Structures are given as structure tokens and as C-alpha cells.
Amino acid sequence: MPTEDLAVRFDRVTKRYGDHTVLDGLDLEVARGERVTLIGPSGSGKTTILRLLMTLERVTDGVIHVAGQPFSHMPGRTPGKLVPASERHLAGRRRRIGMVFQQFNLFPHMSVLDNVVEAPVHVLGESRDEAARRARDLLELVGLADKVDARPTRLSGGQQQRVAIARALAMRPEILLLDEVTSALDPELVAEVLDVLRDVAHRTDITLLCVTHEMGFARDVSDRILMFDGGRIIESGPADELLEAPTEERTRAFLGSVR
Ligand SMILES: Nc1ncnc2c1ncn2[C@@H]1O[C@H](COP(=O)(O)OP(=O)(O)O)[C@@H](O)[C@H]1O
Ligand SMILES: [Mg+2]
């Protein structure tokens, strides 16, 4: 696939902590608008991949490209040579990417609306009026139009996570990263959050990289599922195929453990 059609490309990416190698020469390509779910046992490197894209971690080796441009690196003084990205380069590039984590981390002293308005005003420089208009639309999309003035602490965990989704979308990301967004929720609150995300997936053309143990959700939203083990992709394929007829024994064992 031509580079410019790729939202994300990991080119032989290695990530080490000390002498512990988490990712070992990982190649990974995600097309623009594609929905990809990463599955695999705890410790297999899924969160590390998302944290590298959020620029919370730096690669040890290899290069990450986003939207056809170097992301972890930038052009150096020697033509054709890339050097590790500066903070400034990273700050410019990370705006293309939004993330929702297990923990919602909303500002408790701010209203729901202000939580969503904050970053577009302070990071993107949008006017408050414009950001507030868009925040209301997004809060309606996540089913919280009636909670705009509430404090997050008055909301259920499911409602708080829906605010966090609206907050991420308010930055107009091209790529949305979801890391086990329902894992911290009481079981009865999981469905409302997954329903909102299904809606986002179906109503937008955003590129999705998702880590989840909710296989029904993965099947509904994903074009492709990647099974990780030990920092490597051991099996990948269309969601239905991989879930229904995995070829690898480790994939079968993993699916058996989460179903
Ligand atoms: N900051 C860190 N320092 C040292 N090891 C880390 C750090 N972050 C993650 N790891 C290790 O990297 C491996 C992969 O972790 P992670 O990407 O969180 O896996 P997953 O999300 O698939 O459960 C684990 O062995 C974990 O202990
Ligand atoms: Mg993880």
C-alpha cells in the first residue's frame, strides 16, 4: 500500500526497557480509516504500542510513521537521513492522535462541558464559543446532552468514560487509540460505553487502534484483528475469521480464556 494511504506504519520497531525487549523489530501497518484490534495476553506489548503512538515512550530502534510522515523521527541535516524526533516535532505530530484509557482522568473541579472544551481552546487555539458548540454536539453523540453542566464526580463510571471519549474526539484526531476502555467499569456499565464507541466507529471515518478483551465489540468494529504474544504478531486476519477459526494454538487458548 502507498505510504500516504497508511495512517500508521511501524518499521522494524524495537522497544526495550533495560535488557527487557518488549517489541522486537515489529512491522505494523494500519490503513487510513481502518479499524484494528490488538488482542493477546497481558504483557504482550499492546499498551506499549499505543504509548509509543501517544509519544509517552520513545522507540529504542526502528521508525514509526504516521499519515505517511516520520513520527518518531524527523529529517536530519544529512539529506535522506532521519534523526530521533525533537520534543517540538513530537508535540506537533501527537495532535493527530487521540487516546482513551482505562482511567478517565477527568478534571473533577470542571463541568463536563469544560472538560471537553479545555484542550481545543488551550492546545488548538479554538475560540471558546466554537469549542463549546462542538463539545455540545459531541456530548450529544455520546448520549450526555443533559449532563453538560454536571461535575464528573456526580456521574457513573460509564458516563465519565463517555465524557472522556467526547474529550478525545474534541481534538479532531485522525487516529483514535482505545486501551481497555471498559476494564475499570462495573459490568452493567460496559454496554453503554461500547455502544457509544460502535456509534463513533460507524458514523466517522476515524482510524481506530483498539485494545480490548470484549470480543463481541472487536468483531463489530474491527476490520482486522492482530493477535500478539511476546511483542510479536503471531496471527492476524479479518475479525470474523480470526475469532471463528484461529489457526494458532496460542490464539485458541487466549480466546478460550477471555470468552
Ligand atoms: N515503564 C516500563 N518499564 C519496564 N517495563 C515495562 C514498562 N512498561 C511496560 N513494561 C513491560 O513491557 C511488557 C509489555 O507491557 P504492555 O505493553 O503494558 O503489555 P500489555 O498491554 O499487552 O499487557 C511487560 O512485560 C511490561 O512489564
Ligand atoms: Mg495493556
Side-chain angles (χ1 to χ4, degrees):
M1 186 178 293
T3 308
E4 59 273 21
D5 293 339
L6 291 174
V8 174
R9 180 157 75 93
F10 278 50
D11 183 7
R12 309 197 122 269
V13 168
T14 293
K15 176 64 184 173
R16 275 188 215 106
Y17 294 104
D19 55 10
H20 179 41
T21 301
V22 177
L23 303 176
D24 189 8
L26 178 71
D27 288 326
L28 170 66
E29 293 188 348
V30 179
R32 281 186 206 258
E34 194 181 16
R35 282 76 199 270
V36 175
T37 294
L38 318 183
I39 64 171
S42 179
S44 59
K46 307 177 302 291
T47 294
T48 300
I49 290 167
L50 303 189
R51 287 178 58 83
L52 286 166
L53 285 168
M54 282 308 285
T55 71
L56 297 169
E57 300 287 347
R58 292 217 179 215
V59 299
T60 310
D61 203 2
V63 180
I64 301 173
H65 300 262
V66 168
Q69 303 285 327
F71 179 80
S72 60
H73 288 67
M74 60 187 195
R77 284 211 200 115
T78 316
K81 288 268 186 215
L82 294 176
V83 296
S86 65
E87 277 305 319
R88 192 189 159 94
H89 176 90
L90 290 177
R93 296 300 161 96
R94 77 162 69 89
R95 289 185 199 168
R96 295 172 175 273
I97 303 177
M99 183 159 183
V100 183
F101 307 79
Q102 247 181 60
Q103 301 304 336
F104 346 111
N105 294 327
L106 300 174
F107 296 117
H109 58 287
M110 284 185 190
S111 70
V112 162
L113 186 76
D114 285 343
N115 266 277
V116 181
V117 162
E118 163 79 17
V121 168
H122 289 104
V123 181
L124 298 184
E126 287 184 15
S127 76
R128 234 201 103 77
D129 282 356
E130 183 190 352
R133 236 187 337 265
R134 190 166 148 75
R136 285 177 193 278
D137 286 349
L138 288 168
L139 287 165
E140 189 174 332
L141 175 73
V142 302
L144 293 174
D146 57 333
K147 300 290 184 199
V148 288
D149 297 320
R151 300 273 156 179
T153 44
R154 310 292 301 223
L155 304 182
S156 72
Q159 290 171 329
Q160 291 187 53
Q161 192 58 301
R162 289 189 275 147
V163 176
I165 293 164
R167 180 182 55 180
L169 293 174
M171 290 294 284
R172 306 171 191 272
E174 294 161 35
I175 303 167
L176 185 63
L177 311 177
L178 304 172
D179 195 0
E180 299 195 31
V181 295
T182 58
S183 298
L185 298 176
D186 292 334
E188 72 272 21
L189 303 178
V190 168
E192 66 184 53
V193 172
L194 295 183
D195 284 346
V196 160
L197 289 170
R198 276 191 191 88
D199 240 33
V200 169
H202 295 145
R203 288 207 216 169
T204 71
D205 56 5
I206 202 162
T207 304
L208 266 186
L209 239 76
C210 172
V211 176
T212 183
H213 296 303
E214 300 284 342
M215 293 305 146
F217 171 71
R219 180 190 301 249
D220 291 350
V221 301
S222 316
D223 300 309
R224 197 152 54 102
I225 296 183
L226 309 177
M227 169 70 192
F228 279 81
D229 198 17
R232 291 166 181 276
I233 300 169
I234 62 160
E235 180 167 6
S236 71
D240 287 346
E241 276 177 32
L242 188 133
L243 293 174
E244 263 156 45
T247 56
E248 294 292 322
E249 180 49 40
R250 276 178 291 173
T251 310
R252 279 197 287 274
F254 174 76
L255 291 174
S257 73
V258 293
R259 271 172 181 158

